[in-house]
Amino acid sequence: MERGAAAAGALSCTFRSPSPSPTSPAAPHWRPLLGFRSRSRSRGRGWGQRAVVPGAPRLFLPPPCRRFRYCSQSKLLGMNKGQNRCSLATFSSFGQSGISLNNEDLVKDKLLIDCGEDQDCVIDGIVALGKFDALHIGHRELAMYASKAGTPFLLSFVGIAEVLGWEYRPPIVAQCDRKRVLTSWAPYCKNVVPIEYQVEFSKVRYLTPRQFVERLSRDLKIQGVVAGENYRFGYRASGDAAELVKLCEEFGLSAFIVRSVMDTARSYNGVTTSVNSSDKGQVSSSRVRHALAMGDMEYVSELLGRKHRLVLTVKENHLQERKRIMLPKSCMLNMPPADGLYENCDLVNGGHLGLCRVIINSETIEIEMKDENSLLPNTIQENQQLGIEFG
C-alpha cells in the first residue's frame, strides 16, 4: 500500500472469473539510477556538490543503504522554440524534411494550457516530462527525483490520440481525480505536492528537439528537466534522452535521466506477456491497461502504487435501493477493470461510505454495500461523483 495515500478506507479486492488466476509474481527488480546532469549556469541546487564538466555525462548513485525505483516513457513527444525571423523546416530522425513552418506558427500559442498569459507557473522549477496517463510508480519516481533537484512539476502532453488518429481509450485516471493522486505522492517528494501542467500536443507536434528545449528554457524559464531513459521528443520523436542532455547543456538547464522500472516477473498462465512492440518489461501505462483488462487488481495496485479508483457520475437513470446502487456504464469517467465480480471494495464520495462488492457487466455497474445502513436517505444524489476503489 502506498505511503500517505489519500484514498479513504482499507481495501482488499478480489476478482473472480472462470479463468485460472494469474500466477503471483516475485517482487519487481529495481535497478539503480543513471543520472546525467548538465549545467552551464548555477541556478538552484542539484543532486551533488561535485563539479560537472560541461557536456560530460556523470553517474549519480543513490545515497547508501537506500533503494530506488525507476521508470521510462516510450515514444513521448516534445516541443520548443523557433528562430527569429525566418522559416523553419523540421526533420525526422531519418534526415527527411518535415513540414515547413513559419516562425509565427510555432510560437504564437502559449505552451501551458492551464497557466496564465505570462506562462510563469513553472519558473525555476524541475519539470518531469511525459504523458503520465496512469500516474504509475515509474511516473512517481520522476516526480520524486524532480523534488530532489528543486520544485517538482509534471509537464504532460494531451490530445495525442486525437491528433494522430488513434482509437479513443478512456483515461486510466479520471481527470477530476489526478490532483488527489498527486497529493498522495507528497511523502515521496519531500512533502511537496507536484503540480501538473498540460501542453496541447497539436501546438507542439512539429517542433524540433532544439525548439523544444529552447521553449522550455526561454518561455517557461525552468531550471531543469527529468525524463526516463527511453524518452523521445520532437517532431516524429526524433530526439532521445542523450540529445535531451546535450540540448539542456546548451541552453543552461539541468537534465536528469532516470532508468526504467522493470517488471520482468509477471506472467499470465505461465507466459510472459509483452503488451506492445516497445515493451521491454518496464512498468508502463500499457501494462496497467493490460492488467485492468485481465481483471488482475492486485497487479494493477502494484503498478500504480495505490488502489485503482473508478470514478462515476450519478445520473438520473441510476437505481438505488436500501443497500444497492445500479448505474449505467455511461457514468464512468475512466477505465474500469474487466467485467466480473469484485469483493471487498470501497465506495467513496469524498468520504468513506463503506465496504461493498461490485458486479460489472457489459451495460451496468452494480454496487452492493456490506452494511445496509451505509446508504442513508439522500446519501447518493444526481450529478454527484462516486469512487469505487479496487485493490
Side-chain angles (χ1 to χ4, degrees), residues 75 77 131 133 157-171 199-202 205 289:
K75 291 189 176 180
L77 300 161
K131 195 170 75 169
D133 182 13
F157 301 94
V158 297
I160 297 177
E162 292 81 355
V163 171
L164 300 181
W166 297 345
E167 182 181 356
Y168 171 77
R169 298 186 300 179
V199 175
E200 187 65 50
F201 176 65
S202 62
R205 180 184 183 184
R289 288 186 180 276

Side-chain angles (χ1 to χ4, degrees), residues 49-110:
Q49 302 301 322
R50 303 176 188 175
V52 177
V53 178
R58 293 292 299 271
L59 178 63
F60 283 76
L61 298 176
C65 304
R66 188 170 180 181
R67 305 275 299 179
F68 297 98
R69 309 182 181 103
Y70 306 98
C71 79
S72 71
Q73 288 289 309
S74 60
K75 291 189 176 180
L76 296 180
L77 300 161
M79 61 198 173
N80 69 38
K81 194 159 188 158
Q83 300 172 359
N84 284 333
R85 292 184 178 271
C86 62
S87 295
L88 301 175
T90 57
F91 296 87
S92 72
S93 58
F94 303 102
Q96 297 171 329
S97 178
I99 296 178
S100 180
L101 299 173
N102 186 276
N103 180 60
E104 294 181 358
D105 296 326
L106 290 170
V107 299
K108 65 182 180 181
D109 291 325
K110 302 298 183 183

Side-chain angles (χ1 to χ4, degrees), residues 62-207:
C65 304
R66 188 170 180 181
R67 305 275 299 179
F68 297 98
R69 309 182 181 103
Y70 306 98
C71 79
S72 71
Q73 288 289 309
S74 60
K75 291 189 176 180
L76 296 180
L77 300 161
M79 61 198 173
N80 69 38
K81 194 159 188 158
Q83 300 172 359
N84 284 333
R85 292 184 178 271
C86 62
S87 295
L88 301 175
T90 57
F91 296 87
S92 72
S93 58
F94 303 102
Q96 297 171 329
S97 178
I99 296 178
S100 180
L101 299 173
N102 186 276
N103 180 60
E104 294 181 358
D105 296 326
L106 290 170
V107 299
K108 65 182 180 181
D109 291 325
K110 302 298 183 183
L111 287 183
L112 304 182
I113 295 175
D114 37 6
C115 186
E117 188 70 19
D118 293 336
Q119 298 284 281
D120 57 357
C121 299
V122 295
I123 288 180
D124 288 333
I126 304 296
V127 173
L129 302 171
K131 195 170 75 169
F132 301 112
D133 182 13
L135 294 176
H136 54 61
I137 56 175
H139 296 149
R140 188 180 69 193
E141 295 303 313
L142 293 182
M144 185 180 78
Y145 279 96
S147 72
K148 289 178 178 294
T151 304
F153 295 95
L154 302 187
L155 195 64
S156 57
F157 301 94
V158 297
I160 297 177
E162 292 81 355
V163 171
L164 300 181
W166 297 345
E167 182 181 356
Y168 171 77
R169 298 186 300 179
I172 295 173
V173 183
Q175 182 64 36
C176 60
D177 197 35
R178 294 181 70 86
K179 185 175 181 180
R180 178 191 68 87
V181 174
L182 293 177
T183 299
S184 73
W185 290 3
Y188 300 88
C189 300
K190 295 188 172 182
N191 292 320
V192 175
V193 176
I195 300 177
E196 180 180 32
Y197 290 99
Q198 297 181 329
V199 175
E200 187 65 50
F201 176 65
S202 62
K203 296 181 180 179
V204 301
R205 180 184 183 184
Y206 298 112
L207 297 178

